[in-house]
């Protein structure tokens, strides 16, 4: 596989290092950059996308522009931005190409974990998905448990069905946590799954996983989010180092 990478922040730089660990990676093209700080013969500076399979970028401000460039050159595209120009969905679908948005966020990991757990639970009674965001910690709200080193935190509700909780944290750590109440094998269960790691590393995994999931055929044509194919996305994320903790009661 040949992946083009346009990096403006830590997430895409980390995604590039993660992708270089893939044995079937033929080339990692650094699009719009003059060189690489990574010593790897597969890393090359490029100014054109011809010959590459997919473009990955964490440029939120210019996400629509890069998605358009990728489409014009016949590539799939992965962006960390949560939204792009509305017409790109139809344009990608018409070209039988895939555009994956919001693929560099901890919230996308939470959404995919929630979908995975719901699928394995009978008679789901309640689902809560939570993720950290940079900000001043709260001193009241909804209690959320993350794996260490994030630990227990207070969060604020930002949506329902399923219940969605944002948890402000300071510092370099980030996490996602999902709680599902239901029945498994006829018994009532409360299952909590979560991840916690350096924020940049989690975002890098999230971005790299999107590219690998698309290249593995996990998403159809048009515009998608990671939660549209949670199993394919999680499989890719786990393969590149996402560690998940789980407790069942």
């Amino acid at each position: 596989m040949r992946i083009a990478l346009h990096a403006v922040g830590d997430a895409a730089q980390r995604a590039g290092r993660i992708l270089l660990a893939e044995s079937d990676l033929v080339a990692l093209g650094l699009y719009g950059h003059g060189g690489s700080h990574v010593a790897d013969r597969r890393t090359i500076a490029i100014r054109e996308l011809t010959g590459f399979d997919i473009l990955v970028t964490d440029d939120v401000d210019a996400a629509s522009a890069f998605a358009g460039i990728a489409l014009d050159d016949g590539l799939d595209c992965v962006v960390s931005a949560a939204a792009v120009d509305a017409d790109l969905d139809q344009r990608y679908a018409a070209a039988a190409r895939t555009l994956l948005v919001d693929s560099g966020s901890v919230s996308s990991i939470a959404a995919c974990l929630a979908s995975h757990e719901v699928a394995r639970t009978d008679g789901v009674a309640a689902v809560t998905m939570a993720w950290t965001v940079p900000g001043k910690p709260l001193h009241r709200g909804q209690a959320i448990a993350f794996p260490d080193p994030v630990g227990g935190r207070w969060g604020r509700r930002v949506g329902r069905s399923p219940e969605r909780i944002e948890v402000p944290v300071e510092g370099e750590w980030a996490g996602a946590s999902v709680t599902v109440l239901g029945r498994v094998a006829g018994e009532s269960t409360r299952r909590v799954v979560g991840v916690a790691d350096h924020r940049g590393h989690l975002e890098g995994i999230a971005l790299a996983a999107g590219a690998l999931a698309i290249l593995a055929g996990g998403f159809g044509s048009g515009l998608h989010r990671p939660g549209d194919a949670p199993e394919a996305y999680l499989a890719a994320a786990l393969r590149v180092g996402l560690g998940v903790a789980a407790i069942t009661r």
Side-chain angles (χ1 to χ4, degrees):
M1 57 186 176
R2 297 173 61 86
I3 299 176
L5 177 70
H6 176 75
V8 297
D10 186 47
Q13 292 177 7
R14 288 175 179 268
R17 290 193 287 269
I18 290 168
L19 291 168
L20 283 170
E22 295 297 300
S23 60
D24 55 348
L25 180 72
V26 175
L28 180 68
L30 303 182
Y31 185 51
H33 293 269
S36 170
H37 61 279
V38 179
D40 191 293
R41 61 179 177 78
R42 296 169 297 171
T43 303
I44 55 175
I46 61 173
R47 296 187 179 277
E48 297 181 354
L49 297 176
T50 303
F52 284 83
D53 303 311
I54 191 168
L55 172 64
V56 179
T57 181
D58 63 347
D59 192 330
V60 175
D61 295 332
S64 294
F66 280 105
I69 292 170
L71 181 61
D72 290 342
D73 286 344
L75 278 67
D76 297 317
C77 186
V78 177
V79 301
S80 58
V84 293
D85 292 347
D87 67 315
L88 285 169
D89 185 7
Q90 291 186 345
R91 290 175 58 195
Y92 266 81
R97 290 294 177 183
T98 303
L99 171 59
L100 189 64
V101 303
D102 203 21
S103 184
S105 69
V106 180
S107 62
S108 287
I109 295 175
C112 290
L113 287 173
S115 295
H116 174 78
E117 292 303 317
V118 166
R120 66 187 299 274
T121 305
D122 300 322
V124 174
V127 179
T128 300
M129 47 184 281
W131 60 91
T132 59
V133 295
K136 186 176 181 179
L138 302 177
H139 298 290
R140 62 176 63 88
Q142 182 153 342
I144 299 294
F146 295 95
D148 290 334
V150 177
R153 301 278 180 159
W154 295 107
R156 54 176 173 253
R157 182 182 292 111
V158 294
R160 296 181 181 273
S161 299
E163 188 172 42
R164 297 184 292 278
I165 309 294
E166 278 189 351
V167 181
V169 297
E170 294 177 326
E172 62 185 4
W173 301 105
S177 178
V178 171
T179 301
V180 177
L181 304 180
R183 301 182 69 83
V184 175
E187 296 186 0
S188 296
T189 63
R190 179 179 185 270
R191 184 167 168 85
V192 182
V193 297
V195 301
D197 210 321
H198 185 280
R199 178 179 294 106
H201 185 59
L202 278 182
E203 292 174 349
I205 286 176
L207 200 55
L212 295 175
I214 288 175
L215 293 173
F219 291 87
S221 59
L223 185 148
H224 294 279
R225 296 179 181 276
D228 294 340
E231 297 301 331
Y233 185 81
L234 278 181
L238 291 168
R239 195 177 93 198
V240 297
L242 182 68
V244 180
I247 299 176
T248 302
R249 296 175 181 172

